[in-house]
Amino acid sequence: MADIVQLEEKGNLLYPKTHTSAIDNFDETVVKKTGNEDIAGVKNFKNGLQISGKKVATQTEKKVIYSERKGSYFHAGQSFNLGPKATLEQVKMTWGRYDAVAGTDLGWGYQEFSYNMDSLFFSPYYYVLLSSSEGSFIIKDFIFKVENGNVIAIGTEKNALDGRKGFTLKQIITYHKTS
């Protein structure tokens, strides 16, 4: 059994092994398990950071999945593997104006759409309404689905129709959680 050490300070008995009040500035130097506190300085967690037993994403990795100036109509049969659903946080798709007759990128009218994975998969089909400076609108649609744990973006046959060729998909960027 451990020895119990008794100290006396100003007429009060203290037991240093059982009374935290015996430690000078204890409340200012120790982080408590409960209660609200402001903590200054860098804290390095060697075994990862968790909240309620779930890992907290502390960093995000950016991946360029597709990038081409001419772009793609994103028609049926075209698909892009966006990576593991378990780590995918966000997908950004950029569309831009395209001259289907000349077969060239017009270099303007870029529009970016962002999809957060928390709100994804409520519907299999997604639409983007793209507007041009001439006042016309073009709809592009696509599908997000999961195959073997990876999120796949799939184009549809409607995107290659003549009335929808004024815009092409220029870029897809994904953001993944890392530990």
Side-chain angles (χ1 to χ4, degrees):
M1 186 166 170
D3 293 335
I4 297 177
V5 178
Q6 177 181 329
L7 298 175
E8 185 175 339
E9 183 178 301
K10 298 179 186 173
N12 295 321
L13 296 177
L14 300 173
Y15 301 91
K17 290 187 177 182
T18 60
H19 287 80
T20 58
S21 60
I23 302 170
D24 286 338
N25 298 320
F26 178 81
D27 287 333
E28 290 82 30
T29 57
V30 175
V31 178
K32 296 173 205 72
K33 289 174 69 173
T34 60
N36 298 329
E37 296 182 80
D38 292 325
I39 303 169
V42 175
K43 308 299 182 248
N44 295 309
F45 295 87
K46 292 182 179 185
N47 297 322
L49 185 59
Q50 293 186 359
I51 295 178
S52 299
K54 294 183 180 181
K55 275 189 164 186
V56 175
T58 54
Q59 294 181 355
T60 303
E61 180 183 2
K62 176 182 173 180
K63 294 181 182 179
V64 177
I65 302 299
Y66 172 78
S67 184
E68 189 177 312
R69 185 158 175 85
K70 182 178 176 183
S72 163
Y73 291 130
F74 203 19
H75 56 74
Q78 281 190 304
S79 64
F80 298 96
N81 186 336
L82 307 180
K85 182 181 186 286
T87 61
L88 187 59
E89 286 192 323
Q90 185 178 30
V91 177
K92 288 185 180 179
M93 292 181 163
T94 303
W95 301 82
R97 293 289 286 140
Y98 183 75
D99 184 337
V101 176
T104 59
D105 174 62
L106 295 177
W108 57 273
Y110 296 105
Q111 297 172 47
E112 181 180 277
F113 294 84
S114 181
Y115 304 91
N116 291 320
M117 292 300 108
D118 291 342
S119 60
L120 209 56
F121 303 110
F122 291 120
S123 168
Y125 287 94
Y126 289 84
Y127 302 89
V128 291
L129 180 61
L130 303 160
S131 61
S132 69
S133 61
E134 301 93 22
S136 63
F137 294 94
I138 294 174
I139 295 173
K140 294 283 191 170
D141 56 351
F142 52 92
I143 300 166
F144 283 124
K145 76 180 212 178
V146 179
E147 289 181 4
N148 300 320
N150 289 321
V151 177
I152 311 295
I154 304 167
T156 68
E157 69 279 349
K158 297 174 194 170
N159 292 338
L161 298 174
D162 284 342
R164 294 194 179 189
K165 288 186 176 179
F167 280 86
T168 56
L169 178 62
K170 306 295 184 181
Q171 190 173 62
I172 299 175
I173 296 175
T174 60
Y175 295 87
H176 290 264
K177 296 180 270 192
T178 61
S179 52

